[in-house]
Amino acid sequence: MSMQLSFAGFMVVVTIATTAGSMLFFWTLFYILDVTEWHAFYIAPAIGVGCALILIMVRLYASLFSRIIYYMVSIYWGMLIYHFLFSIVFLIINAIHKLSKTWGLCVLFIPSMLLFLYGFISSFVLTVTTLDIAIPDARSNLSVVHLSDLHLGPIYGKSHVSRVVAEVKRLQPDIVVITGDLLDGSMKIEPDVLFPFNEIEADIYFSLGNHDDVFLGLEEVERTLRGSKIVLLNDEAVMNNDVNIIGIGYRLKNETLVNKLVNLNVTYDALNILLYHAPSLTLDELEGYNIQLHLGGHTHGGQSFPLYLSLIHICRCRRYAVCRSRWSPYH
């Protein structure tokens, strides 16, 4: 029931956000084109409701047609982020100096489309970031491949998994971890999508993200994992040689996360690695629970410009362990 309520709440947020963004964009566009701006007040709600209905259709009736429609909606959302931003930029510039129709359209469309195309192309390019982390008292060198926010579903499928697996095999890690949102949650997928992970020699551990648990549900996640070597750590810890891997499912409140850490086996005789989807705890808080390394995801590096700038500021202020930007126009 809670999962259904969460999805229903998400639909409300999608409808409101899409309507608000579309309304500002179309109002600005109609203003530039000297068309009655009031048209935006019935076009935008129709788009907002339509996008929510498409999400419901994809969730209930997974097919090639629904995936194509979902893909188109995702592209619209990706462009809308920048159209919304540059609508505000246009209104500010136009208030200072009246722009012609040509210059108004240039301000509204050219930078937003360039940024969108860059983000769109980048979202399909696999990039490996290598970090050497010195941990005091570590007994030996450990190679960990950290994956997060793969969002397997209507857009990314088995072919994408195969590309990721090929890159992981090239790196030859000791352990592979997936810190949430392995599945997008917008539609059910068949277990064979995850079968390429079985080609990886290293053990694979997975903690739940909000899209896995809240949008899809634990039972469906467990069904999807059947047949793959991915080990779900849902509020539990497992020893792998001299490494204690702690996986905690997604929580909305830090207090709940802290309670789980207290009840789990956080040992002082091993390297403790926390797998938790949201980077919620600071360095000081992690040290208090003897967590040497916290791996997470969720923020997508700020998702897109200029949101990642605020993420970098937050990371600096709260002293997060590792904070890096990664461009992705979706989810």
Side-chain angles (χ1 to χ4, degrees):
M1 177 64 72
S2 60
M3 184 268 290
Q4 294 175 348
L5 290 175
S6 299
F7 183 75
F10 178 66
M11 290 299 96
V12 173
V13 172
V14 165
T15 303
I16 294 174
T18 306
T19 299
S22 300
M23 190 171 295
L24 178 61
F25 166 63
F26 281 107
W27 189 93
T28 306
L29 177 62
F30 293 155
Y31 174 82
I32 295 173
L33 296 176
D34 292 326
V35 178
T36 304
E37 294 91 344
W38 290 104
H39 292 325
F41 289 92
Y42 57 82
I43 293 177
I47 293 176
V49 173
C51 288
L53 291 176
I54 288 172
L55 285 182
I56 295 173
M57 178 187 71
V58 171
R59 188 177 181 85
L60 297 178
Y61 307 103
S63 65
L64 178 61
F65 174 75
S66 61
R67 290 169 71 105
I68 292 174
I69 298 298
Y70 180 89
Y71 197 86
M72 294 171 63
V73 169
S74 296
I75 289 176
Y76 176 74
W77 283 332
M79 292 190 296
L80 186 60
I81 293 173
Y82 298 113
H83 286 330
F84 179 85
L85 172 65
F86 285 97
S87 292
I88 297 175
V89 171
F90 164 79
L91 293 174
I92 294 174
I93 295 175
N94 194 64
I96 299 172
H97 177 74
K98 181 71 174 179
L99 296 176
S100 66
K101 182 184 298 185
T102 301
W103 276 109
L105 292 174
C106 287
V107 170
L108 185 60
F109 282 103
I110 291 179
S112 61
M113 291 305 299
L114 289 176
L115 284 170
F116 168 75
L117 288 173
Y118 177 75
F120 180 80
I121 294 170
S122 298
S123 68
F124 291 95
V125 176
L126 294 180
T127 335
V128 177
T129 300
T130 302
L131 297 175
D132 292 322
I133 302 175
I135 299 177
D137 302 324
R139 297 180 183 177
S140 60
N141 292 330
L142 180 70
S143 174
V144 179
V145 165
H146 173 211
L147 306 173
S148 188
D149 297 273
L150 294 181
H151 286 277
L152 303 177
I155 295 178
Y156 300 109
K158 193 172 183 177
S159 61
H160 183 69
V161 174
S162 296
R163 292 175 61 220
V164 171
V165 166
E167 193 64 37
V168 172
K169 289 167 63 179
R170 184 185 67 81
L171 296 170
Q172 298 181 327
D174 300 313
I175 298 172
V176 177
V177 298
I178 307 172
T179 55
D181 286 1
L182 171 64
L183 310 174
D184 185 59
S186 54
M187 65 175 284
K188 297 179 180 180
I189 65 172
E190 293 306 313
D192 68 288
V193 172
L194 301 179
F195 286 178
F197 280 108
N198 295 339
E199 302 173 14
I200 298 174
E201 294 184 7
D203 293 327
I204 307 174
Y205 300 101
F206 163 54
S207 64
L208 296 169
N210 55 308
H211 279 258
D212 307 304
D213 193 9
V214 180
F215 294 163
L216 199 58
L218 178 58
E219 183 178 341
E220 182 60 28
V221 170
E222 291 176 335
R223 181 196 70 83
T224 309
L225 291 176
R226 288 175 194 157
S228 76
K229 67 178 295 182
I230 299 174
V231 177
L232 173 62
L233 297 179
N234 188 25
D235 301 341
E236 53 191 308
V238 62
M239 288 294 297
N240 187 302
N241 295 322
D242 58 349
V243 180
N244 188 33
I245 302 174
I246 306 163
I248 297 181
Y250 180 76
R251 298 290 188 278
L252 292 177
K253 296 183 179 179
N254 281 0
E255 293 83 359
T256 311
L257 169 60
V258 168
N259 290 338
K260 288 294 180 181
L261 278 175
V262 170
N263 296 326
L264 287 173
N265 178 30
V266 181
T267 176
Y268 286 84
D269 298 326
L271 170 64
N272 292 298
I273 299 179
L274 173 63
L275 311 182
Y276 182 65
H277 184 55
S280 305
L281 299 180
T282 64
L283 282 172
D284 297 331
E285 291 168 328
L286 291 171
E287 290 170 0
Y289 291 96
N290 197 40
I291 302 295
Q292 286 81 24
L293 182 62
H294 171 203
L295 299 175
H298 191 52
T299 60
H300 296 217
Q303 188 81 357
S304 56
F305 176 85
L307 299 179
Y308 73 80
L309 298 177
S310 61
L311 179 69
I312 293 174
H313 174 70
I314 292 171
C315 289
R316 286 173 177 167
C317 291
R318 297 206 64 198
R319 295 183 66 237
Y320 284 125
V322 176
C323 180
R324 301 186 65 84
S325 297
R326 174 60 193 264
W327 195 293
S328 177
Y330 301 121
H331 308 102

